[in-house]
Amino acid sequence: MNLFLEEDVPDPTDFPPDTNAPGLRSLDEVLRCTICRELFEAPVTVNCSHGHCFCSLCIREQMNTKQECPLCRQTIAEVYIRRNPIVEDILGAWKLSRPFILKLLEERNSSPPATPPTHSVTLQSIPSSLSKRRRRMSSSSDDEIVELPGPSEMRQALQKSDVKITSSRTSSRKPMVQCPICRKEMTEDIINRHLDDNCKPLSTIRSPTPKKRKIQTQEWSRLFGNDSFANKGKARSKPLPELDIKEAESLPKMAYDTVTAKTIRERLSEYSLPTEGEKPALAARHLRWITMFNANLDASPSERKTLQQLRKELRKREENEGLQKRRKTRPHNVDVNVYEKDNKLAFAQLVEQARPKPPSQRPAVQASVCDDTSILDEVAVSDSTEIKRTSGSGVQ
Amino acid sequence: MSTRRLQKELLELKNEGAPAGIQLLKGDDFQSWILSIEVLGESLYKGDKFALEFRFDSQYPIAPPSVTFVVNEQFQAPEHPHVYSNGHICASILANEWSPVLTVSAVCITLQSMLASCKRKERPPDNDRYVARAPADPRRTRWAFHDDDV
């Protein structure tokens, strides 16, 4: 029956109840986000009076629809979301010790209680003696603590060295100054641009090269709203240089109602995101990107995902949704046909009523029209009664 | 997120059992589950068994599931002032008061207590009008909630 239960899901019930292993099950339970039921990822505290804690991504997604704490319904605001580094550290340790403790428990259950001296020996032999379920179990929880995969690590290392090279190269020639706002050291020639960009991370700014100058003029032209500064006919926004996620700052939200699809496309292309689709799809993608990006910043720098990983995740989620939507629309179409068949008689009557009639029958027709409008009135007035309905909902 | 979360809920229902009076009838995919619900103790619905259908989309649990009473040869929608004869339920937690920390079993318990506290078996006053035009998915209905007692 349960094909999809094959994949093992780590869960507090992996631990025996309190009578056998006091506190372990509840420990695993309190370290889980109440929204996704996973161990907290980038835990944050919201500004309700209880200081409730969620995964950053979970609560940020929820707050895109509603500004209230899911647990106590108090009004909260996104600007007051604060990282919870201690919980994050606890989780780091728990993710390491969880499979280990499970192994120990397994061992305690499988070996007779009268053999404590052989403790260390049995410990080593456990992996082979584990049940299939446990083995899968521990491997899947290992997944949770797996560090960044190789390629992305290399990429980060590359980025870092890149920054170092530029700074060492420039520092040999130019005097260093300190930013009065963020206190970072940098060369004289980039400080102005750094300040103009609200203390953008250094990695994205280098001394102005011809290419950079072009971007600058593009930004000026964006400011003035015309193309006179930029090269006409060419795409105006290019992907920004890949920024170091460890020094990134949170992205502002956008008022999608007031901007055009073109503007959203530009913003998307700055982060090398796909720009196909209509405006609603673009806006949804941009909002999701910003949510994921900002949530990622609530993890400690060493735990953060790279932009590449984030992009991959975004694509995966869009694909998932596409699948679901297609699945949904199919029965929907059938519904319309069935509806048409079921109501054939009613439709025929309505068509008959709508046909022009000789003058003698007109009063009857008007009466039926009146009936209809009175129903509409009722629907419109029914705020105070049980329900309101969206117009035209009856057709679906 | 939706599938992982549903996996966990299913696991919990199986390992620890559903709450009293509630039983999982169908839960073999991530699109729709069916649970049976009975009101225990003295109530207007004593001895009756109803079935609830939960339909999930990829936004779950950020978005609420679509929850209706099953109406077919085997099951009927309970006669209740907040339950329409097509199985749609007028309950705030399934609409604007949904919270992502709620679960399938929490929704079942809430509906169970809604039935248990019922004083008079009757359909909503606008039942016929609503049922004639109701959308297939009750989440598309804009509900107005007025009864704070239940």
Side-chain angles (χ1 to χ4, degrees), chain A residues 112-127:
Chain A
T115 53
T118 56
H119 205 83
S120 58
V121 181
T122 39
L123 221 177
Q124 277 163 358
S125 64
I126 286 160

Side-chain angles (χ1 to χ4, degrees), chain B residues 39-53:
Chain B
V39 185
L40 304 175
E42 282 306 316
S43 82
L44 295 176
Y45 304 97
K46 200 175 179 188
D48 292 343
K49 199 172 191 177
F50 306 105
L52 281 169
E53 184 180 16

Side-chain angles (χ1 to χ4, degrees), chain A residues 384-386, chain B residues 80-82 90-92 97 114 117-119 122 144-150:
Chain A
S384 50
T385 64
E386 188 83 25
Chain B
H80 185 280
H82 298 317
C90 174
S92 58
E97 270 176 44
M114 178 186 95
S117 64
C118 180
K119 305 271 187 321
E122 59 180 17
F145 307 103
H146 53 94
D147 186 355
D148 292 332
D149 301 337
V150 182

Side-chain angles (χ1 to χ4, degrees), chain A residues 87-104:
Chain A
V87 171
E88 197 177 16
D89 291 348
I90 294 172
L91 274 162
W94 179 238
K95 281 176 184 170
L96 278 174
S97 57
R98 194 179 189 274
F100 179 70
I101 292 172
L102 283 170
K103 266 183 207 170
L104 285 181

